[in-house]
Each structure stands twice: as C-alpha cells, then as structure tokens.
Amino acid sequence: MDPVRGAYPFGDFGFDPASGELTRTDGGSGVTRLQPQVAALLTALLEKPGTVVSRADLQARLWPDTTVDFDDGLNFCVRQLRLALGDEAAAPRYVETLAR
C-alpha cells in the first residue's frame, strides 16, 4: 500500500480503501466509488495479492456478525467488483474464483 495516498495500485487501477474509490490509472474514465462490502472484498483481495482467499475468510471479514445468505451476498459482491473492473469470469484478469 502506498503510505502517502493510502491506495493500492494494481493493473490499470488504484484503490483507496478509506474512501472506497477505484481510480483508473491508464487514462480511462475517472473514479468509481464502490459499495462498502464490495470495497471490503477488494481490500481483502489486495491485502493478499496472488494468494487464494478462502470463503471462510471472506465471510468473517464481510459479514462477521450476521446470518445473511453468504453465498448470494458474496456472489453479488464479486459480480459488482468485476463490473467495476471490467473483468470477466470466463477470462479473469483481476478476480478469479476457484471451485470449492
């Protein structure tokens, strides 16, 4: 993490977990403010680049004290994150999901 700006640079983006702002760094269009749980998902993934983050870890991080339908909630957050990144499940560049 960049201690000056508080942002994680990755690919064509920078992400500031404090504000939830995802910024294109390749000259593309502007800044997107992610929903809080989508921002928390991206933060969890960026804190462990290149490693598998388990569903249990994500559940503990994103929904620590609730009995929400975790699978549906996580799937929604992953879809929203992929949309914001312009990523595709069939050919992932940033977010790859693995079979259980």
Side-chain angles (χ1 to χ4, degrees), residues 30-99:
V31 175
T32 301
R33 178 160 291 181
L34 301 177
Q35 295 172 348
Q37 286 184 307
V38 177
L41 171 62
L42 181 55
T43 301
L45 297 175
L46 290 171
E47 287 176 349
K48 298 181 179 184
T51 62
V52 174
V53 180
S54 73
R55 293 177 75 81
D57 289 344
L58 292 173
Q59 182 174 15
R61 176 114 181 217
L62 275 65
W63 292 278
D65 298 318
T66 63
T67 56
V68 69
D69 185 349
F70 171 69
D71 288 327
D72 288 343
L74 181 59
N75 291 341
F76 175 80
C77 286
V78 168
R79 278 193 308 275
Q80 294 302 305
L81 182 56
R82 283 187 174 137
L83 283 172
L85 297 171
D87 208 11
E88 296 182 25
R93 181 169 177 204
Y94 299 110
V95 179
E96 181 178 4
T97 54
L98 303 175

